Amino acid sequence: MLEKSAYSVGSVSRALNLVDHIINAPHEGLTLSEIMRETKGSKSATFALLRTLIDHGYLRITEPGPRYLPGMALIRLGDLASARDPIASISRSILNDLSVKTGLTVRIARNDNGYPVFIERVDGPGMVRFFTPLGVRELPHISSVGKAILAQLPNEQIRQIAEESGLAARTPKSITTVSKLMTDIRKVRVRGYAVDDEEDAQGVFCVGAAFFDHSGSCAGGISATGIKTDLSAEKVEKLGKLVFKHAEIITKALGGRTKSRSQ
Protein backbone atom coordinates (compact mmCIF):
# COMPACT_ATOMS: atom_id res chain seq x y z
CA MET A 1 0.00 0.00 0.00
CA LEU A 2 1.29 3.43 -0.94
CA GLU A 3 2.17 5.79 1.89
CA LYS A 4 -0.13 8.81 2.04
CA SER A 5 1.38 12.18 1.21
CA ALA A 6 1.22 15.02 3.70
CA TYR A 7 -0.61 16.94 0.95
CA SER A 8 -3.24 14.23 0.38
CA VAL A 9 -6.82 15.60 0.20
CA GLY A 10 -9.17 13.39 2.17
CA SER A 11 -12.30 13.91 0.06
CA VAL A 12 -10.41 13.22 -3.17
CA SER A 13 -8.87 10.09 -1.67
CA ARG A 14 -12.32 8.84 -0.61
CA ALA A 15 -13.75 9.55 -4.06
CA LEU A 16 -10.92 7.69 -5.79
CA ASN A 17 -11.35 4.83 -3.34
CA LEU A 18 -15.03 4.61 -4.34
CA VAL A 19 -14.09 4.55 -8.02
CA ASP A 20 -11.53 1.80 -7.36
CA HIS A 21 -14.10 -0.38 -5.57
CA ILE A 22 -16.68 0.06 -8.34
CA ILE A 23 -14.16 -0.64 -11.11
CA ASN A 24 -13.23 -3.92 -9.42
CA ALA A 25 -16.84 -4.87 -8.62
CA PRO A 26 -18.88 -7.55 -10.43
CA HIS A 27 -20.18 -6.56 -13.86
CA GLU A 28 -23.65 -5.75 -12.49
CA GLY A 29 -22.17 -3.06 -10.23
CA LEU A 30 -22.62 -2.28 -6.53
CA THR A 31 -25.52 -0.91 -4.49
CA LEU A 32 -25.11 1.95 -2.04
CA SER A 33 -25.24 -0.43 0.93
CA GLU A 34 -22.57 -2.68 -0.64
CA ILE A 35 -20.32 0.32 -1.28
CA MET A 36 -20.79 1.55 2.30
CA ARG A 37 -19.92 -1.89 3.65
CA GLU A 38 -16.73 -2.13 1.57
CA THR A 39 -15.53 1.43 2.16
CA LYS A 40 -16.85 1.80 5.72
CA GLY A 41 -18.23 5.26 4.92
CA SER A 42 -21.39 6.93 6.22
CA LYS A 43 -24.51 6.89 4.04
CA SER A 44 -24.71 10.65 3.55
CA ALA A 45 -21.00 11.15 2.74
CA THR A 46 -20.87 8.12 0.44
CA PHE A 47 -24.02 9.16 -1.42
CA ALA A 48 -22.72 12.72 -1.87
CA LEU A 49 -19.44 11.44 -3.36
CA LEU A 50 -21.27 9.04 -5.65
CA ARG A 51 -23.56 11.79 -6.95
CA THR A 52 -20.58 14.06 -7.59
CA LEU A 53 -18.79 11.33 -9.56
CA ILE A 54 -21.98 10.67 -11.55
CA ASP A 55 -22.39 14.37 -12.33
CA HIS A 56 -18.87 14.41 -13.80
CA GLY A 57 -19.37 11.18 -15.77
CA TYR A 58 -16.97 8.98 -13.81
CA LEU A 59 -19.79 6.74 -12.58
CA ARG A 60 -23.26 5.84 -13.83
CA ILE A 61 -26.28 4.12 -12.30
CA THR A 62 -28.49 1.30 -13.51
CA GLU A 63 -31.81 -0.07 -12.26
CA PRO A 64 -33.01 -2.00 -10.38
CA GLY A 65 -30.93 -1.10 -7.36
CA PRO A 66 -29.82 1.43 -8.13
CA ARG A 67 -26.39 -0.01 -8.86
CA TYR A 68 -23.28 2.00 -9.55
CA LEU A 69 -21.03 1.26 -12.53
CA PRO A 70 -18.01 2.91 -14.21
CA GLY A 71 -19.01 5.91 -16.34
CA MET A 72 -17.96 7.05 -19.80
CA ALA A 73 -15.36 9.47 -18.43
CA LEU A 74 -13.38 6.51 -17.06
CA ILE A 75 -13.72 4.67 -20.35
CA ARG A 76 -12.48 7.73 -22.28
CA LEU A 77 -9.49 7.97 -19.93
CA GLY A 78 -8.75 4.33 -20.64
CA ASP A 79 -9.00 4.90 -24.37
CA LEU A 80 -6.65 7.90 -24.10
CA ALA A 81 -4.13 5.84 -22.15
CA SER A 82 -4.39 3.14 -24.81
CA ALA A 83 -3.76 5.61 -27.63
CA ARG A 84 -0.55 6.78 -25.96
CA ASP A 85 0.72 3.35 -24.92
CA PRO A 86 3.55 1.95 -27.08
CA ILE A 87 2.59 -1.67 -26.37
CA ALA A 88 -0.95 -0.98 -27.57
CA SER A 89 0.38 0.72 -30.70
CA ILE A 90 2.75 -2.12 -31.54
CA SER A 91 0.12 -4.78 -30.91
CA ARG A 92 -2.95 -3.46 -32.75
CA SER A 93 -2.36 -5.40 -35.97
CA ILE A 94 -1.61 -8.54 -33.95
CA LEU A 95 -4.86 -8.15 -31.99
CA ASN A 96 -6.79 -7.67 -35.24
CA ASP A 97 -5.24 -10.81 -36.69
CA LEU A 98 -6.15 -12.91 -33.65
CA SER A 99 -9.70 -11.54 -33.59
CA VAL A 100 -10.19 -12.37 -37.28
CA LYS A 101 -8.82 -15.89 -36.84
CA THR A 102 -10.91 -16.67 -33.74
CA GLY A 103 -14.01 -14.52 -34.22
CA LEU A 104 -13.58 -13.45 -30.59
CA THR A 105 -12.98 -10.21 -28.71
CA VAL A 106 -9.26 -9.78 -28.11
CA ARG A 107 -7.64 -7.65 -25.40
CA ILE A 108 -4.11 -6.82 -24.34
CA ALA A 109 -2.99 -5.87 -20.83
CA ARG A 110 0.11 -4.47 -19.19
CA ASN A 111 1.55 -6.19 -16.13
CA ASP A 112 1.11 -3.83 -13.16
CA ASN A 113 2.94 -5.61 -10.33
CA GLY A 114 1.06 -8.85 -10.96
CA TYR A 115 -2.26 -7.21 -11.87
CA PRO A 116 -3.51 -6.87 -15.46
CA VAL A 117 -4.34 -3.37 -16.75
CA PHE A 118 -6.05 -3.64 -20.14
CA ILE A 119 -4.89 -1.03 -22.64
CA GLU A 120 -6.36 -2.09 -25.99
CA ARG A 121 -9.32 -4.11 -27.29
CA VAL A 122 -10.57 -5.39 -30.63
CA ASP A 123 -14.21 -6.50 -30.57
CA GLY A 124 -15.15 -9.71 -32.32
CA PRO A 125 -17.77 -9.71 -35.09
CA GLY A 126 -21.48 -9.93 -34.29
CA MET A 127 -23.84 -8.23 -31.86
CA VAL A 128 -22.22 -9.37 -28.61
CA ARG A 129 -20.13 -6.68 -26.92
CA PHE A 130 -18.36 -7.11 -23.60
CA PHE A 131 -18.20 -4.20 -21.13
CA THR A 132 -14.44 -4.09 -20.75
CA PRO A 133 -13.18 -0.58 -19.90
CA LEU A 134 -9.53 0.16 -20.64
CA GLY A 135 -6.97 1.55 -18.22
CA VAL A 136 -8.47 -0.38 -15.30
CA ARG A 137 -6.46 -2.52 -12.90
CA GLU A 138 -8.33 -5.84 -12.69
CA LEU A 139 -8.19 -8.74 -10.26
CA PRO A 140 -5.65 -11.31 -11.51
CA HIS A 141 -7.14 -14.54 -10.14
CA ILE A 142 -10.37 -14.45 -12.17
CA SER A 143 -9.05 -13.51 -15.62
CA SER A 144 -7.02 -15.57 -18.05
CA VAL A 145 -4.51 -12.75 -18.62
CA GLY A 146 -4.24 -12.21 -14.87
CA LYS A 147 -3.42 -15.86 -14.27
CA ALA A 148 -1.02 -15.90 -17.24
CA ILE A 149 0.83 -12.96 -15.65
CA LEU A 150 0.79 -14.55 -12.18
CA ALA A 151 2.31 -17.72 -13.62
CA GLN A 152 5.47 -15.77 -14.47
CA LEU A 153 6.01 -14.73 -10.83
CA PRO A 154 7.66 -16.61 -7.96
CA ASN A 155 5.18 -18.63 -5.89
CA GLU A 156 5.68 -16.48 -2.79
CA GLN A 157 4.82 -13.33 -4.70
CA ILE A 158 1.67 -14.99 -6.07
CA ARG A 159 0.61 -15.81 -2.51
CA GLN A 160 1.23 -12.21 -1.44
CA ILE A 161 -0.92 -10.90 -4.31
CA ALA A 162 -3.64 -13.42 -3.44
CA GLU A 163 -3.65 -12.22 0.17
CA GLU A 164 -3.66 -8.57 -0.94
CA SER A 165 -6.49 -8.97 -3.46
CA GLY A 166 -8.60 -11.21 -1.23
CA LEU A 167 -9.50 -13.70 -4.00
CA ALA A 168 -13.03 -12.32 -4.25
CA ALA A 169 -15.66 -14.48 -5.97
CA ARG A 170 -17.45 -13.11 -9.03
CA THR A 171 -19.23 -16.36 -9.97
CA PRO A 172 -19.64 -19.84 -8.46
CA LYS A 173 -16.64 -20.91 -10.54
CA SER A 174 -14.26 -18.21 -9.24
CA ILE A 175 -11.10 -19.42 -7.51
CA THR A 176 -11.28 -18.36 -3.86
CA THR A 177 -8.43 -20.24 -2.17
CA VAL A 178 -4.66 -19.99 -2.54
CA SER A 179 -4.31 -23.76 -2.93
CA LYS A 180 -6.72 -23.85 -5.90
CA LEU A 181 -5.04 -20.82 -7.43
CA MET A 182 -1.60 -22.45 -7.20
CA THR A 183 -2.98 -25.65 -8.75
CA ASP A 184 -4.29 -23.63 -11.68
CA ILE A 185 -1.01 -21.68 -11.97
CA ARG A 186 0.92 -24.95 -12.28
CA LYS A 187 -1.31 -25.91 -15.22
CA VAL A 188 -0.69 -22.53 -16.85
CA ARG A 189 3.08 -23.01 -16.58
CA VAL A 190 2.86 -26.40 -18.28
CA ARG A 191 0.46 -25.32 -21.07
CA GLY A 192 1.77 -21.82 -21.67
CA TYR A 193 -1.72 -20.31 -21.55
CA ALA A 194 -4.43 -19.70 -18.93
CA VAL A 195 -8.18 -20.31 -19.03
CA ASP A 196 -10.98 -18.31 -17.41
CA ASP A 197 -13.93 -20.71 -17.51
CA GLU A 198 -16.84 -18.49 -16.36
CA GLU A 199 -14.75 -17.33 -13.38
CA ASP A 200 -15.19 -13.59 -13.98
CA ALA A 201 -18.65 -13.61 -15.54
CA GLN A 202 -21.17 -16.38 -16.02
CA GLY A 203 -21.54 -17.47 -19.61
CA VAL A 204 -18.17 -16.01 -20.63
CA PHE A 205 -14.89 -17.84 -21.23
CA CYS A 206 -11.43 -16.43 -21.93
CA VAL A 207 -7.99 -17.78 -22.88
CA GLY A 208 -4.84 -15.74 -22.25
CA ALA A 209 -1.05 -15.91 -22.54
CA ALA A 210 1.83 -13.72 -21.35
CA PHE A 211 4.36 -11.78 -23.41
CA PHE A 212 7.81 -10.49 -22.38
CA ASP A 213 10.07 -7.45 -22.69
CA HIS A 214 13.77 -7.16 -23.58
CA SER A 215 14.85 -8.17 -20.06
CA GLY A 216 12.79 -11.36 -20.11
CA SER A 217 10.29 -9.97 -17.60
CA CYS A 218 6.56 -10.41 -18.17
CA ALA A 219 5.31 -7.16 -19.73
CA GLY A 220 1.67 -8.22 -19.94
CA GLY A 221 -0.71 -10.62 -21.62
CA ILE A 222 -3.13 -11.08 -24.49
CA SER A 223 -6.51 -12.81 -24.34
CA ALA A 224 -9.42 -13.95 -26.49
CA THR A 225 -12.93 -13.75 -24.97
CA GLY A 226 -16.24 -15.19 -26.07
CA ILE A 227 -19.60 -16.60 -25.00
CA LYS A 228 -19.29 -19.97 -23.28
CA THR A 229 -20.43 -22.87 -25.40
CA ASP A 230 -19.86 -26.59 -25.15
CA LEU A 231 -16.17 -26.32 -25.95
CA SER A 232 -14.30 -29.59 -26.15
CA ALA A 233 -10.89 -29.91 -24.54
CA GLU A 234 -9.45 -30.17 -28.06
CA LYS A 235 -10.97 -26.81 -29.10
CA VAL A 236 -9.77 -25.10 -25.92
CA GLU A 237 -6.26 -26.42 -26.53
CA LYS A 238 -6.33 -25.24 -30.15
CA LEU A 239 -7.44 -21.75 -29.05
CA GLY A 240 -4.85 -21.70 -26.27
CA LYS A 241 -2.03 -22.50 -28.69
CA LEU A 242 -3.22 -19.78 -31.06
CA VAL A 243 -3.32 -17.16 -28.29
CA PHE A 244 0.11 -18.32 -27.08
CA LYS A 245 1.48 -17.97 -30.63
CA HIS A 246 0.23 -14.37 -30.85
CA ALA A 247 1.71 -13.60 -27.43
CA GLU A 248 5.06 -14.79 -28.80
CA ILE A 249 4.61 -12.49 -31.81
CA ILE A 250 4.09 -9.55 -29.44
CA THR A 251 7.21 -10.55 -27.50
CA LYS A 252 9.24 -10.47 -30.73
CA ALA A 253 7.68 -7.14 -31.76
CA LEU A 254 8.80 -5.67 -28.42
CA GLY A 255 12.32 -7.03 -28.87
CA GLY A 256 11.60 -9.26 -25.91
CA ARG A 257 12.73 -12.66 -24.80
CA THR A 258 11.39 -15.32 -22.49
CA LYS A 259 13.40 -15.70 -19.30
CA SER A 260 13.41 -18.89 -17.27
CA ARG A 261 11.89 -18.49 -13.82
CA SER A 262 12.93 -19.83 -10.43
CA GLN A 263 9.75 -20.81 -8.58
Side-chain angles (χ1 to χ4, degrees):
M1 183 177 294
L2 294 175
E3 184 179 349
K4 287 187 177 181
S5 165
Y7 300 100
S8 179
V9 179
S11 59
V12 176
S13 295
R14 289 190 293 274
L16 292 174
N17 187 40
L18 286 180
V19 170
D20 190 54
H21 277 284
I22 291 168
I23 284 173
N24 290 303
H27 293 294
E28 65 270 17
L30 295 173
T31 64
L32 176 59
S33 60
E34 288 170 336
I35 294 169
M36 289 167 52
R37 183 167 59 249
E38 291 194 19
T39 61
K40 298 179 173 57
S42 69
K43 183 175 182 179
S44 59
T46 302
F47 183 74
L49 287 173
L50 289 169
R51 288 306 314 180
T52 301
L53 290 165
I54 289 169
D55 290 344
H56 288 274
Y58 289 93
L59 298 180
R60 62 187 176 91
I61 57 175
T62 184
E63 299 289 351
R67 289 183 174 274
Y68 296 86
L69 295 162
M72 288 304 300
L74 285 177
I75 296 172
R76 285 195 297 271
L77 285 175
D79 290 340
L80 177 62
S82 171
R84 296 180 177 178
D85 192 294
I87 289 181
S89 300
I90 289 171
S91 306
R92 283 190 187 105
S93 63
I94 301 169
L95 299 185
N96 279 315
D97 182 66
L98 181 58
S99 183
V100 168
K101 287 179 177 176
T102 62
L104 302 176
T105 293
V106 177
R107 295 193 296 166
I108 188 170
R110 274 188 173 276
N111 174 12
D112 181 14
N113 295 316
Y115 290 76
V117 177
F118 287 93
I119 56 175
E120 183 63 288
R121 175 186 66 243
V122 174
D123 289 320
M127 298 299 292
V128 177
R129 291 291 184 268
F130 300 98
F131 179 70
T132 53
L134 302 178
V136 175
R137 196 186 204 216
E138 298 194 7
L139 295 173
H141 71 288
I142 53 175
S143 74
S144 62
V145 164
K147 290 190 284 186
I149 290 172
L150 288 178
Q152 314 310 317
L153 302 176
N155 290 342
E156 184 54 38
Q157 189 175 350
I158 297 173
R159 295 187 181 97
Q160 290 173 359
I161 291 171
E163 182 178 353
E164 175 185 89
S165 67
L167 299 182
R170 291 275 179 83
T171 76
K173 289 190 174 183
S174 298
I175 293 174
T176 57
T177 67
V178 174
S179 61
K180 288 184 179 180
L181 178 61
M182 296 309 299
T183 297
D184 203 352
I185 291 299
R186 285 192 287 271
K187 294 177 182 177
V188 176
R189 288 170 175 163
V190 171
R191 294 186 307 232
Y193 61 88
V195 177
D196 158 17
D197 183 11
E198 298 186 278
E199 295 162 47
D200 185 27
Q202 289 184 303
V204 177
F205 79 96
C206 190
V207 176
F211 57 84
F212 303 85
D213 63 19
H214 66 281
S215 70
S217 298
C218 176
I222 182 176
S223 67
T225 303
I227 299 299
K228 177 67 185 287
T229 57
D230 293 327
L231 287 174
S232 65
E234 182 180 356
K235 288 182 178 179
V236 172
E237 182 179 5
K238 183 178 179 181
L239 177 59
K241 288 181 177 180
L242 188 59
V243 173
F244 178 81
K245 176 184 176 182
H246 282 72
E248 287 192 314
I249 294 172
I250 294 173
T251 296
K252 291 178 182 177
L254 294 173
R257 61 185 178 85
T258 304
K259 181 172 63 179
S260 61
R261 306 178 307 274
S262 58
Q263 307 300 339

